[in-house]
Structures are given as structure tokens and as C-alpha cells.
Amino acid sequence: MRLHGKTAVITGGSMGIGFATAQRFAAEGARVAIMDWNRQALDEAVSVITAKGQEAIAISGDIQLREDVQHMVDSVLQQWGSIDIVVNNAGICEPASFLDIEEADWDRHMAINLKGTFLVGQLVAREMVKQGTRGSIINMSSVNGLAAEADQAHYNASKGGINLLTMSMALELAPYGIRVNSLCPGYIETRLTRAQIVNPEALAPYLRTIPLGRVGQPEEIADTALFMASDESRYMTGHCLVVDGGQLIKLS
Ligand SMILES: NC(=O)c1ccc[n+]([C@@H]2O[C@H](COP(=O)([O-])OP(=O)(O)OC[C@H]3O[C@@H](n4cnc5c(N)ncnc54)[C@H](O)[C@@H]3O)[C@@H](O)[C@H]2O)c1
């Protein structure tokens, strides 16, 4: 078991990529704390994991609120004593054309995707430093953090910000042995993308942009997160790891 004895926090771990990651980590021996603001989905996700005899706890909260994040950190420390791994996964994406994005939409994407990642990263890293934990922090970015997609200016900017935040965190936390990397998925089948995926007409032009010719599955991102969380990636920090079926290498 590659994460035996480790404690992992996964934000937005009730569904989609986060839930697949929580299940993968728990199957590899980690104690998993899932933080999510969707209480019902959160409880269901935790029951799926604990029903298999694996360890998981639910922490209800909103990552854009410092007091909720501090409560999450305190709860995990009270339960398990330390935090070794964080997957900063919770995020939103509400498409709108650049000319139509409302200021409130911009602020919401920045507050959840970028500030939330900062808050969770900072409050957990302080604890890792205090305890001398040589941890691994994984920030969920996107191919949209490396190239622009139309109707996503606020999302693109928030994910681009996560990549630079990742490098900044990696630089300042390296002296403590804490590694920080970002994971940049391409087009993955989750609640965020399902409406388009089930509509063949909407999906076809998108598939033409992906050399491997299919959408990705949450489990394929969870497998990569496992590598990034484990000692197998022990010499990797400040890196943006792209998992996109080749989407970013294609010019036309
Ligand atoms: N699906 C994709 O194609 C894709 C591609 C690239 C990157 N991503 C990123 O992966 C991450 C997960 O995406 P997904 O597709 O699994 O989405 P999803 O909507 O299926 O899951 C997101 C989870 O985050 C939770 N969440 C959202 N805002 C929150 C907040 N403020 N506080 C606490 N919990 C919150 C939701 O309740 C949900 O459980 C996101 O950061 C997303 O930007 C997704």
C-alpha cells in the first residue's frame, strides 16, 4: 500500500475527480478527510469508503472561508494528529463570454478556485512546518491554466493563478521538505462536463481536439494524484503535470 499510515485531506472530495482520488488514496492505506460544502454528497462519499473498512471522515465547509478551513485543519489534527497530503481539488467552472462576465462571477471563481487553494495550502502548510511533516500538496489546476479556452476567462485566470501559486509555494516550502505540484487535467467526465458529454453534437467538435480521441475518467486523474502524493514523485516539486489525452500538444 503506497500511502499506508498517511493522512490525506481532499477538498471537493464528494464527487467527480475528488471522490475518485479519495477512494484511490483510501484503497492505498491513507486516512482520508474529505472537505466539501455539499453535505449530502459528502456523507454519501464517506459512507462508500468506510463501508469497505477504510478510514474516512467528513468535514463540511466552504474553502473560501478561512474559519471553515481552520476548522477542517483542527478537526483532522484532533482526529489523526497530522496531515501528510493535501489535494486542493474543490473548484467551480461557470462558463460565460468575456464580454458578459459579471463582476460577481469573476469574484466567485477567484474566491473559490484561487483564494480557496491559497487558504487550504497555507493553513495546512503551517501545520506541516510546525510538526516537521515532509508533506505533499497537490493543487488541482487544469489545461485551462496553461492555454485559454473561450467563454472561460475567469476560470482560465483562476487556474493560471493556481500554477504560479504552486511554484511560489514549492519555492518557499522546499526548505521544509514539503513538495507542491499542480495537476492539470484535460477534459474529464464529471458533473461539470456531463451535459456536453451526453450530447453527441456538442461532444464531437471537442473530441477532435483530443489526440487520444476520448474524454478522460476521474480515476485516470486519481492515479496521477496518487503518484504525486506518494514517494514515487519525491524529487518533483513546483511542476504542472498535464494529463489531457494530448490536447495541449495539438495546433490544429
Ligand atoms: N472535469 C473536468 O473536465 C476538469 C478538468 C480540469 C480541471 N478540473 C478541476 O478538477 C476539480 C474537480 O472538478 P470536477 O470535475 O470533479 O467537479 P465536480 O463539480 O464534480 O466536483 C467539485 C466538488 O467540489 C465541491 N466544491 C465546490 N466548491 C466548493 C467550496 N467552495 N467549498 C467546498 N467544496 C466545494 C463540490 O461540492 C463538488 O463536490 C476542479 O478544481 C476543476 O476545476 C476539472
Side-chain angles (χ1 to χ4, degrees):
M1 292 225 239
R2 289 148 80 184
L3 301 181
H4 180 68
K6 304 279 187 193
T7 295
V9 167
I10 299 167
T11 67
S14 298
M15 58 182 88
I17 292 170
F19 183 41
T21 303
Q23 291 181 90
R24 189 78 173 93
F25 282 16
E28 290 290 338
R31 298 178 289 254
V32 172
I34 300 179
M35 177 181 185
D36 207 292
W37 63 2
N38 181 333
R39 182 79 233 194
Q40 194 188 337
L42 177 61
D43 290 338
E44 284 167 15
V46 166
S47 334
V48 168
I49 295 172
T50 54
K52 295 181 200 154
Q54 297 158 354
E55 282 190 89
I57 56 171
I59 299 162
S60 180
D62 180 345
I63 60 160
Q64 62 192 306
L65 303 177
R66 173 174 282 273
E67 58 271 27
D68 284 14
V69 177
Q70 189 62 60
H71 168 72
M72 176 276 286
V73 172
D74 294 343
S75 306
V76 180
L77 294 180
Q78 198 180 4
Q79 184 85 13
W80 291 320
S82 62
I83 300 174
D84 303 288
I85 299 159
V86 180
V87 185
N88 247 320
N89 165 78
I92 59 162
C93 177
E94 295 163 2
S97 73
F98 175 70
L99 294 177
D100 292 331
I101 292 172
E102 301 279 352
E103 194 177 337
D105 300 332
W106 175 271
D107 288 346
R108 197 166 52 257
H109 280 73
M110 292 301 155
I112 296 176
N113 296 358
L114 188 52
K115 190 178 98 173
T117 300
F118 158 70
L119 285 174
V120 174
Q122 187 190 55
L123 296 187
V124 173
R126 282 181 180 165
E127 222 28 74
M128 287 177 171
V129 168
K130 204 191 291 177
Q131 297 203 22
T133 306
R134 301 173 75 81
S136 172
I137 300 175
I138 299 156
N139 294 330
M140 197 60 71
S141 179
S142 168
V143 288
N144 295 55
L146 296 166
E149 182 173 0
D151 299 334
Q152 312 256 16
H154 43 358
Y155 181 74
N156 297 337
S158 71
K159 293 297 184 178
I162 286 177
N163 288 337
L164 248 300
L165 172 65
T166 298
M167 293 180 212
S168 309
M169 291 169 68
L171 193 61
E172 294 195 40
L173 296 174
Y176 303 99
I178 300 167
R179 299 184 300 109
V180 189
N181 293 288
S182 65
L183 209 173
C184 299
Y187 196 53
I188 310 300
E189 184 171 356
T190 68
R191 186 189 60 103
L192 274 188
T193 51
R194 203 155 287 131
Q196 192 176 24
I197 286 170
V198 296
N199 175 349
E201 271 174 37
L203 183 60
Y206 217 95
L207 281 186
R208 283 197 282 278
T209 70
I210 306 172
L212 285 183
R214 64 172 178 84
V215 299
Q217 294 302 313
E219 293 72 21
E220 295 176 307
I221 303 305
D223 285 343
T224 309
L226 173 61
F227 163 70
M228 296 167 84
S230 77
D231 278 351
E232 288 162 28
S233 60
R234 61 192 169 277
Y235 198 52
M236 187 173 102
T237 198
H239 187 68
C240 303
L241 187 51
V242 176
V243 182
D244 68 345
Q247 198 174 21
L248 278 189
I249 59 173
K250 196 164 184 288
L251 269 184
S252 62

